[in-house]
Amino acid sequence: MIPPGETIGILGGGQLGRMLAMAAAQLGYRAHVFSPEADAIAAEVCGDFTMAAWDDTAALRRFAADCAVVTYEFENVPVAPLAALGAVKLMPGVRALEIAQDRLAEKRFVTELGGSPAPFLAVASRDDLSHAILTIGTPGILKTRRDGYDGKGQWRIMTPADAEALDADVFDRELVYEGFIDFRAEFSVLLCRGADGDLRFWDTPENVHEGGILARSTVPGGALVQGEVNAARSLARKVAVALDYVGVLCLEFFATKAGPIFNEMAPRVHNSGHWTIEGAITSQFENHIRAICGLPLGETTLAARGVKMNNLIGDAAHDWAAILSDPSNHLHLYGKAAARPGRKMGHVTRLVLK
Ligand code: AMP
């Protein structure tokens, strides 16, 4: 067990790091954030901040010397420089990062565990894409294997002509083509696994994405989602056990007539779990800190009859007073200076109490 008073290292300085640092503080830990970005919003709520490049191994070594454990809020942290953390434990581990950083590795991994992703094929050239389209058909989505998030690095292929129209530089990166899933709903399985193997699930949010970005989560999900939760949880549990995972893990699924189709996994706290801050007995952030510090996990059951979480995205003006004039609403603002289209600025959680 890591005793309160020690320092938890957080790789990444966005809103997830900010909320992790706040949960760490609640339990008496210091947080030290490592981020390449000068305006890292997590830095405002932590004890120490290192601004350095991901591959600055000297900075990583100094950072590790200050930390009792290191975690990450961002799965695209380059893996090789993390060797500089030396004996300081990274939780969740490097294997979870390696798999989640590569859509192809991720799909192969869950397939081996008995999960069902959309039909997929690796693509490294225009010819590969033609072959994938012949095999899988259209519509489909061409995605970058690495560094894609919030719908970035994706090209929808409705007909073979869309593939022919793609610029040559699209094929400069490693890609994967996947069949388009005619889903009825989207949902995510959120779990936390403790250092002792204790594994708990939160209720399953039904998620709506707009333009590839999560717009809102509703708990409990609809009947179709509820019917697919057990199968999805069974896969998520296998993933967590296979990786000897410690911390919060999220797997996203499409609910279809044929059962849950795995979309992707995040080896970290997740936007579709923000509702747990007020909507569950213990939030995803608190349980993540408890898990990586070797503490017992908190109860994950609902703290209300239902919960709705709405993301505040982009530069739309909001009337904060109007949002807060409804006492069921909880407003979270991330303190980002510049609003840009598609940027997550905050979220509102609404508890359904009666
Ligand atoms: P991703 O970044 O892969 O999670 O994709 C973002 C969103 O795009 C998903 O949540 C879906 O709404 C949509 N999407 C991604 N892949 C597919 C697919 N194979 N079929 C249908 N919709 C998809």
Side-chain angles (χ1 to χ4, degrees):
M1 182 195 118
I2 295 169
E6 294 279 349
T7 299
I8 297 170
I10 301 172
L11 297 167
Q15 63 268 22
L16 301 178
R18 180 175 167 108
M19 290 184 269
L20 279 171
M22 285 154 69
Q26 181 199 323
L27 287 166
Y29 295 101
R30 279 178 77 251
H32 185 156
V33 167
F34 187 108
S35 167
E37 280 154 22
D39 58 354
I41 50 171
E44 289 164 11
V45 299
C46 71
D48 251 307
F49 174 43
T50 297
M51 190 192 90
W54 293 124
D55 60 357
D56 184 340
T57 47
L60 280 167
R61 248 190 305 280
R62 282 195 300 276
F63 167 72
D66 184 41
C67 299
V69 63
V70 173
T71 190
Y72 42 88
E73 60 112 53
F74 170 66
E75 66 270 33
N76 293 324
V77 177
V79 168
L82 295 178
L85 298 178
V88 179
K89 272 212 174 134
L90 181 71
M91 283 198 207
V94 165
R95 184 89 186 102
L97 263 186
E98 282 171 339
I99 291 174
Q101 284 180 357
D102 180 353
R103 288 187 189 273
L104 187 65
E106 189 176 89
K107 290 178 195 299
R108 287 179 173 154
F109 179 68
V110 296
T111 304
E112 274 165 28
L113 292 174
S116 309
F120 65 95
L121 279 172
V123 168
S125 64
R126 202 181 279 279
D127 283 351
D128 285 354
L129 179 58
S130 304
H131 168 71
I133 289 173
L134 276 177
T135 313
I136 294 171
T138 52
I141 308 188
L142 184 66
K143 299 182 178 179
T144 57
R145 278 174 58 178
R146 296 175 179 279
D147 293 327
Y149 68 95
D150 283 348
K152 295 188 178 74
Q154 301 191 2
W155 298 266
R156 297 215 167 187
I157 310 290
M158 303 313 287
T159 65
D162 290 340
E164 280 152 31
L166 289 173
D167 288 341
D169 65 2
V170 168
F171 300 94
D172 289 348
R173 22 175 132 50
E174 295 180 303
L175 302 156
V176 60
Y177 180 74
E178 61 182 64
F180 196 82
I181 301 296
D182 181 20
F183 59 79
R184 299 286 179 270
E186 292 188 76
F187 66 98
S188 48
V189 169
L190 297 158
L191 67 80
C192 187
R193 187 165 181 269
D196 58 357
D198 182 16
L199 192 151
R200 294 173 187 230
F201 294 101
W202 279 273
D203 282 70
T204 298
E206 181 164 334
N207 304 320
V208 174
H209 292 80
E210 286 169 3
I213 304 173
L214 182 67
R216 50 193 170 272
S217 297
T218 305
V219 187
L224 181 67
V225 168
Q226 305 261 18
E228 301 195 357
V229 164
N230 283 345
R233 281 186 176 180
S234 151
L235 176 64
R237 179 188 295 274
K238 283 186 199 158
V239 169
V241 170
L243 294 173
D244 198 13
Y245 196 91
V246 177
V248 171
L249 172 69
C250 176
L251 267 70
E252 292 184 82
F253 291 91
F254 302 122
T256 72
K257 276 194 250 169
I261 300 291
F262 167 85
N263 179 23
E264 61 178 353
M265 67 181 237
R268 53 167 170 79
V269 288
H270 192 259
N271 193 171
S272 66
H274 288 1
W275 65 270
T276 61
I277 297 176
E278 294 89 7
I281 302 291
T282 312
S283 78
Q284 61 167 348
F285 301 101
E286 179 176 345
N287 261 349
H288 187 79
I289 297 296
R290 290 194 194 204
I292 64 171
C293 290
L295 298 169
L297 301 184
E299 181 62 52
T300 48
T301 48
L302 272 173
R305 223 160 52 80
V307 195
K308 283 186 190 299
M309 190 284 309
N310 274 293
N311 269 340
L312 302 173
I313 298 169
D315 49 8
H318 294 280
D319 182 347
W320 310 132
I323 291 173
L324 292 172
S325 66
D326 181 335
S328 306
N329 282 344
H330 293 269
L331 176 64
H332 296 253
L333 295 175
Y334 305 148
K336 293 183 184 176
R340 286 195 293 271
R343 198 169 196 210
K344 292 174 179 169
M345 304 303 290
H347 70 269
V348 179
T349 301
R350 180 180 171 78
L351 300 185
V352 183
L353 296 170
K354 285 185 221 136

